[in-house]
Amino acid sequence: IRIFQAVSEQRLLFDSLITLTTFAQAREIVESLKAKGVKELDVTLVGWTHKGYAGRYPRRFPVSSPLGGEAGLRAFARWANEQGVRVYLGDNYVDAYEDNGGFSTRTDVVRSPAKLPITGFGIGFAGTRYILSPGIALRDYASRDIPRMAQLGVNGIEFERFGWTLISDRNAYYTAERFEVAETWSNIVRLAREHLGGAIIQGGNVYLLPLADKVVRAPMEDTTHLFASRSIPFYQIAVHGIVPYHGWPGNLRSEPRREFLKNIEYGSLPIFELTYEDSSLLKNAVRYNLLFSSQYSVWEDTVLEEYKIQGEMMGYLQDIAIVDHKELDTLVYETVYEDGSRVIVNYRREPWTDGRVTVEALDFVLIGGGFRE
């Protein structure tokens, strides 16, 4: 579960902090899910920093006072750990926003081969966004801030951007080829593991897999290249049984049933990004406008349903490899696991059968294998 907490809304004179989930309210969400049967649960807190999500990048401290401050975060982490829930902090050591200050746009940012700083507004972001030179990110920020996070009692960091970005840097002070950038970013992840114990990676970059507790927002769709007749879960076949992975949050799907079935077909675990308050509060928040529906009271039943299916009924599959994937018929796919378990997914709007197995419209069937028996 990702719990989104706060983000700044930019106004003419002074920014206003939009608070959607305090640390006390995050505890309410977790308590409710635990009480209703969710036994295995990790939590990532997003937007926990001063001024909320991306509010001070490349800086992140202090912890936001309106959310409960450092005392509130420590109390939540301590309680969660007592319940067997691991707590991760969402963080980003790639982006730096000019409006926030704290870095030099002359010496501290990535430059292109033309020696120009790489800038952009991103999706829904205000102000100029730079990419922080990896050497600066490690030396001036990660090395200072990650040990401080350890004092909060959390169990790890969920890293944005590392898993779907890899660049070269022509900054004259910190020139680095892509393999050197990969090594520097890996060192930041190692630092988190050393001080906190764990790390979650957003995105599918393979070089980070040996350091990841799990992958979120793993690639789940094909690239739509015209020469491909159908998508193949190559990434999932390579990774399944080695590192757990999650796709896009279940409450943010554009085609809810189809994308749920895609998770089933690809052996993904469930993930949701929730808030205590209604996400309509974010309508004017340009720095984080992804959450069109996230209030936990609305989504709790769906969370429980998908947990029971993917976490309990199919959870035994997570430790074993995918050994085959095939198209049985148009819009009907089968995934085979090393114990002999088979999952048949039917994307059609009518039932499908091969004479032995029938799969209802927009549904799936799990045929258990030998390991479970």
Side-chain angles (χ1 to χ4, degrees):
I1 299 295
R2 306 181 84 240
I3 296 179
F4 187 82
Q5 298 197 270
V7 65
S8 290
E9 176 186 354
Q10 294 188 324
R11 296 184 177 178
L12 186 60
L13 296 178
F14 301 101
D15 292 350
S16 174
L17 186 71
I18 303 172
T19 301
L20 285 92
T21 316
T22 65
F23 296 122
Q25 290 167 341
R27 174 170 172 168
E28 285 188 44
I29 294 173
V30 177
E31 278 182 325
S32 181
L33 293 173
K34 295 283 286 185
K36 293 180 180 179
V38 178
K39 299 175 183 177
E40 300 292 335
L41 173 67
D42 292 344
V43 171
T44 294
L45 300 176
V46 183
W48 55 275
T49 63
H50 182 59
K51 295 187 177 181
Y53 177 80
R56 300 196 76 210
Y57 286 158
R59 295 170 292 171
R60 47 207 39 82
F61 282 101
V63 178
S64 177
S65 294
L67 302 181
E70 287 198 12
L73 178 49
R74 285 197 192 96
F76 174 74
R78 181 170 58 251
W79 171 83
N81 289 170
E82 291 171 353
Q83 305 302 311
V85 175
R86 291 183 295 182
V87 178
Y88 296 80
L89 298 179
D91 208 352
N92 179 345
Y93 289 91
V94 176
D95 293 334
Y97 294 88
E98 186 174 28
D99 292 350
N100 297 336
F103 69 101
S104 169
T105 59
R106 184 176 67 87
T107 61
D108 295 349
V109 300
V110 169
R111 291 182 177 268
S112 70
K115 304 300 182 181
L116 299 174
I118 298 176
T119 62
F121 293 95
I123 299 175
F125 284 89
T128 303
R129 172 172 60 88
Y130 291 87
I131 297 178
L132 200 63
S133 284
I136 289 290
L138 175 59
R139 188 194 71 185
D140 292 353
Y141 298 99
S143 295
R144 177 191 65 196
D145 293 339
I146 289 177
R148 185 172 175 182
M149 290 181 201
Q151 300 172 12
L152 301 174
V154 298
N155 306 100
I157 296 175
E158 180 180 311
F159 289 96
E160 290 187 42
R161 299 291 296 262
F162 285 176
W164 58 61
T165 306
L166 189 56
I167 56 174
S168 57
D169 188 1
R170 293 297 180 267
N171 184 320
Y173 300 91
Y174 296 96
T175 301
E177 300 299 333
R178 293 179 69 192
F179 76 91
E180 294 170 309
V181 171
E183 182 59 26
T184 301
W185 283 350
S186 295
N187 285 337
I188 293 176
V189 179
R190 290 187 184 99
L191 194 66
R193 295 189 65 86
E194 175 186 346
H195 287 275
L196 307 176
I200 297 174
I201 304 298
Q202 286 188 23
N205 280 352
V206 176
Y207 74 90
L208 289 168
L209 289 180
L211 302 173
D213 294 345
K214 63 179 68 177
V215 173
V216 299
R217 298 185 181 179
M220 298 294 289
E221 297 292 342
D222 58 65
T223 59
T224 70
H225 291 321
L226 295 179
F227 59 78
S229 59
R230 66 181 179 91
S231 61
I232 297 172
F234 180 79
Y235 182 89
Q236 285 73 18
I237 291 171
V239 172
H240 198 282
I242 301 173
V243 179
Y245 53 83
H246 307 253
W248 191 247
N251 55 301
L252 301 180
R253 296 168 182 153
S254 56
E255 298 180 78
R257 188 62 183 175
R258 178 189 172 277
E259 292 179 36
F260 166 70
L261 291 175
K262 180 68 73 171
N263 283 342
I264 297 296
E265 179 192 353
Y266 281 19
S268 175
L269 286 166
I271 180 173
F272 290 83
E273 184 161 342
L274 305 177
T275 56
Y276 189 86
E277 304 292 348
D278 193 304
S279 61
S280 62
L281 294 174
L282 292 171
K283 61 185 178 181
N284 296 319
V286 296
R287 285 200 169 184
Y288 205 83
N289 55 10
L290 298 174
L291 297 182
F292 55 83
S293 180
S294 61
Q295 192 169 24
Y296 92 101
S297 59
V298 174
W299 284 97
E300 190 173 51
D301 289 345
T302 304
V303 172
L304 295 171
E305 178 186 2
E306 295 197 13
Y307 173 80
K308 289 177 181 177
I309 293 172
Q310 295 171 260
E312 292 184 346
M313 184 179 78
M314 305 181 68
Y316 77 99
L317 297 173
Q318 285 301 313
D319 294 328
I320 58 179
I322 294 174
V323 296
D324 196 13
H325 178 272
K326 65 183 72 172
E327 185 177 23
L328 299 180
D329 204 341
T330 304
L331 297 179
V332 181
Y333 298 91
E334 179 185 64
T335 305
V336 182
Y337 292 83
E338 63 176 319
D339 76 329
S341 293
R342 297 158 54 209
V343 177
I344 301 175
V345 177
N346 177 20
Y347 292 98
R348 296 180 176 186
R349 296 191 177 274
E350 65 276 343
W352 173 90
T353 183
D354 63 357
R356 295 170 298 174
V357 178
T358 298
V359 187
E360 297 300 323
L362 293 172
D363 207 349
F364 74 97
V365 168
L366 168 64
I367 304 167
F371 290 2
R372 189 182 191 186
E373 298 173 355

